[in-house]
Amino acid sequence: MTELNKLSLAEARDLLRKGETTSVELTQSCLTAIDAADALNAFVHKTPEIALDRAKAADARLVQGDAPAMCGLPIGIKDLFCTKGVASQAASGILEGFKPEYESTVSQQLQDAGAVMLGKLNMDEFAMGSSNETSVYGNAVSPWRRGNDDAQLTPGGSSGGSASAVAADLCLAATGTDTGGSIRQPAAFTGITGIKPTYGRCSRWGIVAFASSLDQAGPMTKNVRDAAIMLEAMCGYDAKDSTSADLAVPNFEAMLTGDIKGKKIGIPREYRMDGMPAEIEKLWADGAAMLKAAGAEIVDISLPHTKYALPAYYVIAPAEASSNLARYDGVRYGHRATLEAGDGITEMYEKTRAEGFGDEVQRRVMIGTYVLSAGFYDAYYNRARRVRTLIKKDFEDVFAAGVDAILTPATPSAAFGLGEMTDADPVQMYLNDVFTVTVNLAGLPGVSVPAGLDTQGLPLGLQLIGKPWEEGDLLNTAYALETAAGFVAKPGQWW
Ligand code: GLN
C-alpha cells in the first residue's frame, strides 16, 4: 500500500469511511514526512499536538458515522490565515510572536468540515512576491529539480510553502491565497492544482489583508477532484466580510462529469506574448487540442486591454497594501523597535516599520503611498482603476458572446532557480504574473492544471478562466483537461 501521506483527499476520505485507515494514522504519516522535509522549508510552524488531537476527534466521529466532508483529512494552512493561539505571521518580521485570539473564517470552516491542521506554511512576506523569497523564514524550496542538476528551484509564490508541501506529499492539501496569481503560479511550478475562486466566494475575514479588492483564498491540491472537495468546504457567505457573496455553495464534486461537449473555449490572442518560450506555446496548443478532442469548440477571442493589466495591478495592489499595512505600527501587535532616549512616537513608528518589514514590502508601501498621494492620485490610482474596469469589460464581452471558459498558459515559464530573479530588476519578477493578474482584476475564477513537463523535466500548468460564480463548471472543464493531459509525474525524493 502507498504511504498514507501520498494519498489524495478523495482517496483518503474513501479509505477513512470504509474504516481501512484512521485519521491518526494519516496524520502521523504526514507528520513524519514533514519532519523529514526540513530542507524544503515548507512548514514554518508545526502543530503536531493540535493535529493529533483533531485527528482523534475525527476518528471518533467517523466511528459514530457522522463524519463531515473533510473529516480526518490532514492539511496545511498558509501563514496568512489567522489561526487561534497558533503563530500567524504572514511570514513577516513585523508580526513576530503574534498569536491571534481568533480563527479565520476559512480555516474555521475547514476545521468544522473535520480537516486536521498540521501546521502553518511558508509564503512571501504579506503575500508579496512570486518566488517565496521575501519570507522572513527564508525561502521555501521546490521538491522539483532540473534533470540531474541539484540547483534549488523556487516553488513559486506567494503560496510557495503550500505548493512545495502538497507536491512533496507532506500534507494531502493546503490553503493558499491569490491576489495576483499566488495560488495558480506556484501550483503550475510544482505540478499541482490550484483554484482562485470568484472574488467574494471565500470570506476574507481573518486572512491578513494584502490588497483587499483582489485577495481570495482557495485550495491547492493534488488533483481537480480534491480542489472541488476542498473549495466547497472553504467557501460560503460570511457576514463578517462585507464583500462576501450571499450565494448557495453547490456540490462541486458532483459536477465533475468530464462532459464538456459543446462548450466554447476561448483562446485570447493578446496572451500570445513576444518571446514566449516555444514549449509554452506548444503546451497551450496541446491543451486546446485536448479540449477539442473532448468535444469542446475552440474559438479565437480578443481581450484588448490585456497589456495594461500588469501596470494597473502594480498600482492598485501596492496602493491597497500601503493602506492595509498602516496598522503595523509597533503598538498593537508584533515587533517593536528598541528606542533610544529622546525618541518619540514618530521614531517608534519609523524604526519599527524599517526593522519589521522586508525590502519588497517597503518597496510596495512606498509605491502605494506615492500613487495615492494628492498630486498623483488621478494620474496613477484613478487611471489604474479605469483600466481595471476595461479589463473586466473585456471578459464580460467575451462571456456575453457565448464563451464558457478561456484557456491560457498559467505562467510564462517553468520554475526558475532561487536567486535567479531576485538580483535583477524587481520588474522581472512582476512580469511572471502576466497571465494571472487579469483574473484578479476582473474578480473571476481561475484554475491552474498541471498539463506537461518542459524539456528539463519541470512541470508546466495551463490556466482556465471561468464565468463569475461558475466554479463548478470551471472545475469540470479542468477535470476534462486533467483527464486528457494525464499528468502523473512526481519529483524524485532528494530531501
Ligand atoms: N506575485 C504577485 C505579487 O507579488 C501576486 C501575489 C499574490 O497573488 N499574493 O503581488
Side-chain angles (χ1 to χ4, degrees):
M1 182 168 164
T2 36
E3 291 140 85
L4 294 170
N5 56 304
K6 298 197 171 159
L7 297 173
S8 67
L9 289 176
E11 288 165 343
R13 173 192 64 186
D14 297 347
L15 288 181
L16 284 172
R17 290 186 190 220
K18 284 190 266 170
E20 289 175 19
T21 188
T22 64
S23 177
V24 168
E25 284 172 340
L26 270 166
T27 301
Q28 204 52 267
S29 162
C30 291
L31 292 172
T32 306
I34 292 169
D35 280 339
D38 284 345
L40 300 179
N41 199 21
F43 276 88
V44 291
H45 305 288
K46 302 177 189 176
T47 56
E49 294 85 11
I50 293 177
L52 288 168
D53 277 354
R54 289 185 191 165
K56 280 181 206 143
D59 282 333
R61 295 190 74 170
L62 282 155
V63 168
Q64 285 157 17
D66 78 10
M70 291 188 63
C71 195
L73 301 175
I75 61 168
I77 303 284
K78 186 177 182 179
D79 200 35
L80 202 63
F81 292 76
C82 286
T83 43
K84 190 173 178 183
V86 175
S88 306
Q89 270 186 244
S92 180
I94 210 150
L95 279 170
E96 197 187 319
F98 177 54
K99 291 189 177 163
E101 297 292 324
Y102 45 84
E103 185 80 24
S104 81
T105 298
V106 163
S107 54
Q108 185 63 53
Q109 284 182 195
L110 286 165
Q111 205 177 310
D112 294 345
V116 169
M117 176 176 74
L118 296 161
K120 304 296 289 288
L121 290 159
N122 208 347
M123 53 178 282
D124 280 295
E125 184 178 6
F126 285 106
M128 297 174 191
S130 306
S131 65
N132 207 137
E133 287 168 292
T134 71
S135 167
V136 74
Y137 310 111
N139 58 269
V141 178
S142 174
W144 292 86
R145 290 182 158 182
R146 289 184 188 121
N148 293 326
D149 185 349
D150 60 9
Q152 297 200 330
L153 303 180
T154 176
S158 66
S159 311
S162 305
S164 177
V166 175
D169 293 313
L170 310 187
C171 49
L172 304 197
T175 62
T177 63
D178 191 313
T179 303
S182 280
I183 287 175
R184 292 159 288 154
Q185 183 255 24
F189 277 7
T190 55
I192 66 167
T193 301
I195 178 167
K196 179 202 90 73
T198 313
Y199 182 78
R201 254 303 183 201
C202 286
S203 170
R204 290 178 297 109
W205 194 81
I207 301 175
V208 175
F210 164 10
S212 307
S213 77
L214 300 160
D215 299 341
Q216 265 296 290
M220 299 176 72
T221 57
K222 297 182 190 180
N223 58 44
V224 174
R225 178 173 302 281
D226 285 7
I229 294 169
M230 188 161 164
L231 180 62
E232 188 179 335
M234 290 171 73
C235 57
Y237 175 66
D238 179 13
K240 289 188 285 202
D241 172 359
S242 63
T243 60
S244 164
D246 195 357
L247 288 175
V249 179
N251 179 339
F252 294 125
E253 189 184 8
M255 294 174 80
L256 304 180
T257 61
D259 180 6
I260 56 161
K261 278 189 203 70
K263 294 270 180 206
K264 243 190 209 181
I265 309 291
I267 308 289
R269 69 179 71 106
E270 292 79 7
Y271 283 54
R272 193 157 282 119
M273 308 273 170
D274 282 346
M276 186 152 89
E279 53 194 3
I280 300 284
E281 275 276 7
K282 180 171 182 309
L283 177 86
W284 194 10
D286 288 351
M290 288 177 212
L291 292 173
K292 189 169 177 201
E297 183 191 345
I298 307 296
V299 292
D300 277 323
I301 58 166
S302 175
L303 297 167
H305 297 92
T306 300
K307 65 171 177 288
Y308 305 113
L310 268 180
Y313 171 84
Y314 277 99
V315 169
I316 292 169
E320 294 186 18
S322 70
S323 161
N324 275 325
L325 270 54
R327 72 191 67 169
Y328 305 106
D329 54 8
V331 175
R332 278 164 289 192
Y333 14 52
H335 177 76
R336 179 185 295 179
T338 313
L339 301 182
E340 283 164 33
D343 281 350
I345 185 109
T346 308
E347 288 77 15
M348 198 274 279
Y349 291 156
E350 284 175 1
K351 289 184 178 176
T352 296
R353 288 167 68 84
E355 286 173 13
F357 290 141
D359 289 350
E360 182 60 27
V361 171
Q362 294 193 26
R363 181 179 296 125
R364 305 268 182 129
V365 169
M366 284 191 276
I367 295 171
T369 310
Y370 179 79
V371 299
L372 289 174
S373 60
F376 298 101
Y377 189 92
D378 274 330
Y380 293 106
Y381 185 64
N382 256 344
R383 183 172 291 193
R385 288 201 326 182
R386 285 200 293 271
V387 168
R388 180 178 189 174
T389 304
L390 293 172
I391 288 169
K392 191 156 184 264
K393 186 163 179 306
D394 284 353
F395 284 104
E396 284 165 2
D397 291 347
V398 161
F399 290 133
V403 166
D404 295 292
I406 296 164
L407 180 75
T408 78
T411 57
S413 71
F416 44 91
L418 288 163
E420 241 166 52
M421 290 270 218
T422 36
D423 302 336
D425 175 352
V427 172
Q428 286 306 317
M429 189 76 86
Y430 299 168
L431 292 176
N432 217 264
D433 307 329
V434 62
F435 300 129
T436 49
V437 293
T438 50
V439 178
N440 301 76
L441 289 168
L444 300 171
V447 58
S448 173
V449 180
L453 294 174
D454 77 351
T455 48
Q456 311 202 74
L458 296 181
L460 297 171
L462 284 170
Q463 170 176 243
L464 283 160
I465 306 167
K467 297 185 200 172
W469 316 115
E470 304 214 347
E471 290 87 356
D473 258 358
L474 180 66
L475 284 166
N476 185 43
T477 307
Y479 183 61
L481 181 63
E482 173 186 62
T483 308
F487 183 94
V488 287
K490 296 288 283 178
Q493 187 161 345
W494 53 265
W495 59 92

